[in-house]
Amino acid sequence: MADASAITAVLGPTNTGKTHRAIERMLAHDSGMIGLPLRLLAREVYDRVTTRVGEARVALVTGEEKRVPRRPDYWVCTVEAMPIDLEVDFLAIDEIQLAGHDQRGHVFTERLLLSRGRRETWFLGADTMRPLMSELVPTAKLVQHPRLSRLASAGTGKLSRLPPRSAVVAFSTPQVYEIAERLRAQRGGAAVVLGALSPRTRNAQVAMFQSGEVDYLVATDAIGMGLNLDVRHVAFAALRKFDGRDVRDLDPAELAQIAGRAGRHLTDGTFGTVAPLALPDGVAAAIEAHRFPPVRRLLWRSSELDRSSIDALLASLREPPRVRSLKLVRDAEDTAALARLAEDPEIRARARGEAAVGLLWEVCRIPDFRKLLFESHVALLAEIYGQLSGPKASLDTDWMAERVAEIDDVGGDIDTLITRIASIRTWTYISNHARWVRDAAAWQDRTRAIEDRLSDALHERLVQRFVERGGGAARGARSSSGSSRARPAPRRAEAEEPVTLPEGHPFARIAALRALLAPGPAAPAPEDDGARWVESIVGAPHERFSVDAAGRIHDGDQLLGQLARGPALLLPDVRLAALEDVGPGARSRVLRRLVAFARDLVEELLGPLRSPEVRALPGAARGIVYQLEQGLGTAAAREAGEQIAELAPEDRALLKAHGIEVGERVIYVQQLLRRGALERRLALCAAWFDRGRVPACPAPGAVSVPVARGVDPRAYAAIGYPVFGTRAIRADVAERVHRALVSGEPAARLSSWMGCPAREAPRVAASLLG
């Protein structure tokens, strides 16, 4: 990327609004990209950005998920998956202190040293990065914002006495399970968040907590990287973790990153430990004051790789840095995989030449999501490279189908499902390399569908194991999506067989009746159907929804919501329909999806005005385009007089070539006068203008309609029928009539053109000429 004209380092403690500020700044530019440390956080930010501008303008790119619309303006990515060769006006990297991480740090360091936005670059992270930021990026402006809420130590407390809205943090899966089971027995249940959960499962678990169905959350440090939750207290149940190589103590800055999840925005938060554990001396005070030792060295790896041979590639990966504050990354997973594969004579024979070595390096960078045996991962990579470097240069479809089919099984316990989700992530990652598989889009759909099924099953198992459905502490009998529906009847145990008695037995009829009324062994609980429906809505494509001229949003025949007045005509909000069976947490997710759909409506409607060619027009022409956007495709010529006067003949020709007509009375976009566009313009007007001040939908083919009493004239113009006298005339017809009147045509003869009675024609004509 080109050097940025301005570099800003926004450093400080948690809950200072760093990510929020970066998103706002990105949206102030015409294009932008933000790199985030977690797939879960990338999805959360993607949801926030699409709620603002619609999905048509935003791309989501992670290792396993790519949602790239036709012409995205904004890119939300994991740091590793950022398309670094793409130039954007604004670029941001979040949690830049991860440049000191043993495994991932070199990627963050590379972004810090080399990635820039055309106009502006932001690096967000902890204040511990301040000295190295000044050294490595001396032109960066260092900015700090105070924490929005107070974070205070609450000392040590028993698990049974934790306050509601608490998150308990542990660093091993068995301990997370143990604590969640204790909370189920003592307090009715808990949601569970692990780094290994898919976004779908994580969202379903968090929705239970956010909606208040459970008051406790048990998590690993997966909650430490910016995931916004309604947590008021963080309790550490452990202070040591396995970091991939060793079990070590967490340093105070890492503990502060997690403790900072307590208290969001202006709400104060507390942190502490679960008895008998206690924080070391001075750590609580350091967390409260946000004072920690600075990061001394960042992990680094050369970005200039030599792919001429395997040995040259390995040598360039092991090249030491020339700056003392940088440290060569050791034992990186991809480098270790390459070194192991280099020992295979067959692979060495295949990997000759830059293209073959480059392909081998791409294969080595497939993440080991399963984290089982390294030898097993290397064996899979060897098989993949063998097929990709063979005559077909792609993976064998039958072989891949067999491997994927083995994973497509929703049976088993929690750990089994987590392992399968990790496995399917590998194949989703592979299917996102279009050159590697035939019909990549179909494979992406298939692996994503499998992950969704596994995620739903995992959520069900987590709820069954860690949420007490029958007890009073379970907040009644709410569903897993947070609703207050009645608790479903308990399922019959799978081992239970219906009792069959011989005919004539005194209790035979009673036994037959019981068998008839008993629920089936695998009948799905109603709340499971509700959770699946919510997930299907949240993940649905734009085309699944429809909106009518009154602004009502439907999913097929079901009413979901209504467009409502937002901060501007082009930024509508949504008011949800009743949806009685959906709880508060799930409702907020459905609402966010529908707001994104509403913003997509605007983007789709104004597509003719937002193509790269139109955006590249000269200044005066861009001013006209801006006025057309604000009027949903129509603008009064008199209000754009200055811009029209500055238009050169070639500018007029360019506007016309893009369907923009600059008339004497009206400027309009011909494409936006069609029936489908008219109905969408009406839907947006119904949301923006006061009730009763919106025109009725003109009949198909109507060139004008009588002006109704009380209707706002701006609403007529916004649907492409500006008001002249007693009639609202379609913009193109108004211009045609105006030209005829100027050429001397009598008004009476033009009544049929205007679509009005002859007696009204003079008044309408006078207004057109006025």
Side-chain angles (χ1 to χ4, degrees):
M1 289 190 173
D3 288 341
S5 59
I7 302 175
T8 302
V10 185
L11 307 177
T14 56
N15 195 25
T16 58
K18 294 187 290 290
T19 306
H20 172 75
R21 295 173 198 271
I23 292 170
E24 293 297 314
R25 191 63 182 163
M26 178 175 75
L27 295 179
H29 288 273
D30 290 336
S31 63
M33 182 186 303
I34 183 167
L36 299 149
L38 296 175
R39 178 192 185 198
L40 296 176
L41 182 55
R43 184 55 195 259
E44 181 176 298
V45 170
Y46 171 78
D47 288 345
R48 288 171 60 188
V49 176
T50 55
T51 299
R52 292 282 300 279
V53 303
E55 292 185 354
R57 299 182 64 193
V58 190
L60 173 67
V61 181
T62 69
E64 313 93 87
E65 188 173 14
K66 287 182 173 62
R67 296 188 173 198
V68 183
R70 194 158 55 96
R71 284 198 301 261
D73 296 316
Y74 305 108
W75 296 73
V76 179
C77 316
T78 50
V79 171
E80 285 86 348
M82 293 173 72
I84 55 176
D85 56 343
L86 181 70
E87 290 197 355
V88 291
D89 290 336
F90 175 88
L91 183 139
I93 307 293
D94 199 10
E95 306 293 358
I96 195 63
Q97 75 276 4
L98 287 177
H101 190 277
D102 283 345
Q103 286 291 318
R104 305 174 63 199
H106 63 282
V107 180
F108 285 78
T109 301
E110 182 179 321
R111 303 289 184 266
L112 176 68
L113 298 177
L114 302 178
S115 295
R116 299 290 184 266
R118 273 189 300 245
R119 297 184 178 180
E120 197 168 5
T121 303
W122 279 27
F123 297 111
L124 322 172
D127 198 54
T128 54
M129 282 290 292
R130 186 175 293 268
L132 284 182
M133 185 67 69
S134 297
E135 176 189 341
L136 297 173
V137 192
T139 59
K141 176 185 176 183
L142 301 181
V143 175
Q144 185 171 21
H145 298 284
R147 184 177 163 91
L148 297 174
S149 63
R150 182 170 172 263
L151 185 62
S153 172
T156 299
K158 293 183 178 180
L159 190 69
S160 59
R161 295 182 181 177
L162 281 181
R165 315 313 293 162
S166 288
V168 185
V169 179
F171 299 101
S172 72
T173 300
Q175 189 178 16
V176 167
Y177 292 167
E178 178 198 349
I179 293 167
E181 286 178 331
R182 288 169 61 190
L183 285 172
R184 180 180 190 250
Q186 297 172 3
R187 310 302 289 270
V192 171
V193 173
L194 305 167
L197 297 186
S198 66
R200 189 179 179 103
T201 306
R202 174 258 179 188
N203 288 340
Q205 287 289 301
V206 167
M208 287 198 308
F209 179 77
Q210 294 291 82
S211 68
E213 182 181 356
V214 293
D215 264 333
Y216 300 92
L217 179 75
V218 188
T220 62
D221 49 350
I223 67 167
M225 290 294 170
L227 300 181
N228 293 310
L229 303 169
D230 181 22
V231 173
R232 297 173 194 169
H233 178 73
V234 169
F236 290 96
L239 300 174
R240 291 170 62 79
K241 66 176 287 188
F242 179 68
D243 62 6
R245 289 187 296 188
D246 302 302
V247 176
R248 62 172 180 82
D249 294 329
L250 274 81
D251 64 47
E254 290 175 306
L255 294 172
Q257 184 75 29
I258 301 166
R261 294 305 106 199
R264 302 306 301 156
H265 195 52
L266 301 178
T267 303
D268 292 341
T270 57
F271 66 93
T273 56
V274 176
L277 191 68
L279 289 171
D281 291 343
V283 170
I287 294 174
E288 288 180 331
H290 316 299
R291 292 198 185 97
F292 310 103
V295 176
R296 298 295 183 187
R297 301 181 84 179
L298 303 183
L299 276 295
W300 178 89
R301 184 167 74 184
S302 175
S303 59
E304 298 177 1
L305 300 181
D306 184 349
R307 295 176 174 84
S308 59
S309 69
I310 292 180
D311 292 332
L313 177 57
L314 283 168
S316 60
L317 287 167
R318 292 165 177 165
E319 179 185 336
R322 296 185 177 89
V323 179
R324 291 186 60 185
S325 53
L326 300 180
K327 172 185 173 185
L328 179 65
V329 62
R330 298 191 182 278
D331 302 324
E333 188 178 272
D334 49 10
T335 305
L338 177 64
R340 188 66 57 87
L341 290 175
E343 298 170 1
D344 187 326
E346 183 178 345
I347 288 178
R348 275 197 170 270
R350 287 175 177 266
R352 296 183 182 278
E354 190 165 333
V357 173
L359 175 61
L360 177 60
W361 178 234
E362 278 191 83
V363 170
C364 289
R365 301 193 71 183
I366 297 173
D368 183 12
F369 295 113
R370 297 174 298 172
K371 301 297 182 187
L372 298 174
L373 291 174
F374 184 63
E375 294 297 337
S376 173
H377 179 63
V378 171
L380 175 63
L381 299 185
E383 177 70 26
I384 290 171
Y385 182 70
Q387 294 188 31
L388 294 179
S389 59
K392 295 182 179 179
S394 63
L395 295 179
D396 180 81
T397 302
D398 293 337
W399 174 81
M400 188 168 171
E402 184 179 346
R403 302 296 292 268
V404 168
E406 293 172 354
I407 305 167
D408 191 5
D409 179 1
V410 297
D413 59 14
I414 290 172
D415 290 332
T416 300
L417 290 169
I418 287 176
T419 300
R420 289 188 188 131
I421 288 173
S423 297
I424 202 63
R425 288 177 67 188
T426 300
W427 296 104
T428 301
Y429 181 94
I430 290 169
S431 68
N432 274 289
H433 287 69
R435 294 178 289 109
W436 293 2
V437 295
R438 300 186 188 94
D439 199 0
W443 277 108
Q444 291 161 21
D445 290 342
R446 181 175 178 181
T447 56
R448 191 175 298 118
I450 293 173
E451 181 175 319
D452 287 348
R453 287 193 291 274
L454 293 170
S455 299
D456 291 340
L458 177 58
H459 174 60
E460 291 173 18
R461 303 295 194 284
L462 290 169
V463 171
Q464 289 167 5
R465 181 169 173 182
F466 301 126
V467 178
E468 176 58 60
R469 288 298 186 193
R475 296 179 165 267
R478 296 177 180 169
S479 76
S480 62
S481 62
S483 80
S484 55
R485 290 173 286 177
R487 179 164 53 96
R491 303 180 192 182
R492 185 175 59 189
E494 292 187 14
E496 183 182 343
E497 296 292 335
V499 178
T500 304
L501 298 174
E503 188 175 352
H505 191 283
F507 297 112
R509 292 181 66 186
I510 294 176
L513 182 62
R514 289 181 61 188
L516 180 65
L517 295 178
E527 71 262 21
D528 299 337
D529 291 340
R532 289 192 187 98
W533 178 82
V534 169
E535 290 297 338
S536 73
I537 290 293
V538 171
H542 176 86
E543 296 74 21
R544 175 165 166 176
F545 309 116
S546 61
V547 64
D548 60 22
R552 294 183 290 258
I553 304 172
H554 289 83
D555 172 25
D557 295 331
Q558 182 174 8
L559 176 65
L560 297 179
Q562 170 82 46
L563 293 182
R565 186 183 179 94
L569 173 62
L570 303 185
L571 295 172
D573 281 335
V574 172
R575 185 172 61 251
L576 281 184
L579 301 180
E580 292 89 351
D581 289 346
V582 180
R587 284 176 64 87
S588 67
R589 298 183 63 216
V590 172
L591 177 61
R592 194 154 59 178
R593 176 66 188 91
L594 295 185
V595 172
F597 168 73
R599 305 296 163 84
D600 277 345
L601 281 179
V602 176
E603 182 65 25
E604 195 174 85
L605 176 69
L606 300 181
L609 298 172
R610 293 182 171 178
S611 68
E613 297 82 8
V614 172
R615 288 182 176 180
L617 289 169
R622 285 205 309 273
I624 288 174
V625 170
Y626 173 79
Q627 292 203 35
L628 284 171
E629 285 192 348
Q630 300 308 302
L632 299 182
T634 309
R638 68 176 60 180
E639 294 178 7
E642 290 185 13
Q643 290 93 342
I644 292 174
E646 294 177 12
L647 284 178
E650 55 270 25
D651 296 339
R652 283 181 175 270
L654 283 170
L655 288 169
K656 189 172 183 64
H658 290 98
I660 300 170
E661 300 287 345
V662 181
E664 294 297 322
R665 297 307 312 273
V666 187
I667 308 170
Y668 61 93
V669 183
Q670 186 70 50
Q671 187 176 337
L672 299 186
L673 298 177
R674 296 172 181 169
R675 188 70 187 176
L678 169 63
E679 291 178 352
R680 294 189 175 194
R681 294 169 80 167
L682 267 168
L684 294 171
C685 288
W688 177 251
F689 292 97
D690 294 335
R691 183 176 296 179
R693 294 177 64 80
V694 181
C697 186
V703 296
S704 75
V705 293
V707 176
R709 180 176 299 177
V711 173
D712 194 320
R714 294 173 301 168
Y716 278 117
I719 68 169
Y721 283 71
V723 172
F724 295 99
T726 58
R727 308 292 294 186
I729 306 178
R730 203 173 67 201
D732 57 343
V733 173
E735 275 302 310
R736 180 186 173 201
V737 172
H738 180 267
R739 288 194 297 270
L741 290 170
V742 170
S743 67
E745 194 75 25
R749 285 191 194 171
L750 299 176
S751 60
S752 62
W753 287 17
M754 301 179 199
C756 68
R759 65 178 182 276
E760 286 187 49
R763 185 172 176 184
V764 174
S767 180
L768 274 165
L769 290 169

